[in-house]
Amino acid sequence: MQKIIVSPSILSADFANLERDIKSVEKAGADWIHVDVMDGHFVPNITIGVPVVKSIRKVTSVPLDVHLMIDNPEKYIEDFANAGADIITFHYEAVSDVDKIIKLIKSFGKKAGISIKPNTSVEVLYPYLNDLDLILVMTVEPGFGGQKFISYCAEKIIPLRKIAKKELIIQVDGGINSQTARICTQYGANSLVAGSYIYKSTDLREAISSLR
Ligand code: DX5
Ligand code: ZN
């Protein structure tokens, strides 16, 4: 059976105790740590930026999966790469030259990911499939944790998995719990981001393993 990469989103962690909340999911079996960067323009919320990624990097060796929900991502990719991001995912809707951004991320030796919002069709990504390491199919409108999973978004995984190279990581983010995770992995997703489901649970290990 294929390995499912679980990436807990620290958006649902306690920011005053970030080190504790990262170490606790690490101990409970997290494969990656998902870091949601929001700029108040691309999405109607502001979260964290480069200095926080730099500090997190010092307290964990788990790969940092950085999800940029920002306009002009090209301006900040070098900074996030130097801060210690391992996977850098930007939004299709935020850029005009997709190839350029993929090349930029790879020039720093990082994995390149692209994400689509609920109303963006998956076909727009087909020209880039061979260059990408990861596609993040948003299963809620980006901006906030704790929203309800949108099923029609997850259905985009089906055609994508059919045509993608087998190494392509297909990730989902938004409203993921043990039930919705099962739908997504059946469709062909192999990376699951979950914030509230993991951090609200009283047994982190059980929550993470219930997603797999
Ligand atoms: C939303 C973020 C998500 C968020 C998911 O825009 O990209 O990563 O933390 O939160 P849950 O798992 O609570 O839906
Ligand atoms: Zn995210």
Side-chain angles (χ1 to χ4, degrees):
M1 215 173 68
Q2 206 194 18
K3 159 107 172 105
I4 304 290
I5 300 163
V6 177
S7 191
S9 166
I10 55 166
L11 192 58
S12 293
D14 175 359
F15 282 4
N17 289 288
L18 208 42
E19 178 174 4
R20 179 199 69 190
D21 283 4
I22 286 171
K23 292 208 164 128
S24 61
V25 289
E26 187 177 339
K27 250 199 239 130
D31 300 292
W32 294 350
I33 299 293
H34 186 82
V35 182
D36 286 303
V37 176
M38 306 187 191
D39 66 354
H41 291 272
F42 182 73
V43 288
N45 194 10
I46 299 178
T47 53
I48 61 184
V50 175
V52 177
V53 173
K54 207 168 166 187
S55 297
I56 294 171
R57 180 70 295 164
K58 292 183 192 145
V59 301
T60 183
S61 54
V62 170
L64 298 181
D65 166 29
V66 175
H67 178 192
L68 299 179
M69 285 160 277
I70 61 175
D71 283 330
N72 301 314
E74 64 276 14
K75 279 170 73 180
Y76 304 96
I77 282 164
E78 180 170 7
D79 291 344
F80 280 106
N82 291 335
D86 296 283
I87 302 104
I88 301 180
T89 299
F90 63 98
H91 267 267
Y92 173 83
E93 302 84 0
V95 303
S96 52
D97 189 342
V98 171
D99 277 320
K100 192 172 114 194
I101 317 285
I102 296 173
K103 284 203 183 86
L104 182 63
I105 297 172
K106 290 192 161 180
S107 74
F108 298 107
K110 308 298 181 179
K111 281 194 163 68
I114 194 164
S115 180
I116 47 170
K117 299 208 280 185
N119 294 331
T120 302
S121 89
V122 71
E123 286 83 14
V124 300
L125 302 180
Y126 289 179
Y128 314 106
L129 293 185
N130 287 330
D131 302 318
L132 288 161
D133 298 296
L134 177 147
I135 287 182
L136 166 51
V137 175
M138 288 304 298
T139 41
V140 297
E141 275 302 334
F144 300 91
Q147 303 181 76
K148 194 175 174 292
F149 178 81
I150 307 171
S151 334
Y152 74 79
C153 295
E155 286 165 15
K156 297 176 193 174
I157 301 165
I158 303 169
L160 182 59
R161 186 46 90 194
K162 276 200 187 116
I163 66 157
K165 57 185 177 188
K166 66 170 188 342
E167 316 82 79
L168 183 80
I169 299 167
I170 301 181
Q171 185 178 63
V172 284
D173 181 8
I176 300 299
N177 55 38
S178 55
Q179 278 94 49
T180 56
R182 179 188 287 265
I183 297 169
C184 295
T185 52
Q186 278 171 352
Y187 288 166
N190 62 334
S191 175
L192 307 166
V193 175
S196 48
Y197 177 70
I198 292 176
Y199 278 105
K200 282 201 179 130
S201 116
T202 48
D203 184 341
L204 294 177
R205 179 165 288 279
E206 165 57 28
I208 290 174
S209 65
S210 73
L211 293 171
R212 286 211 174 90

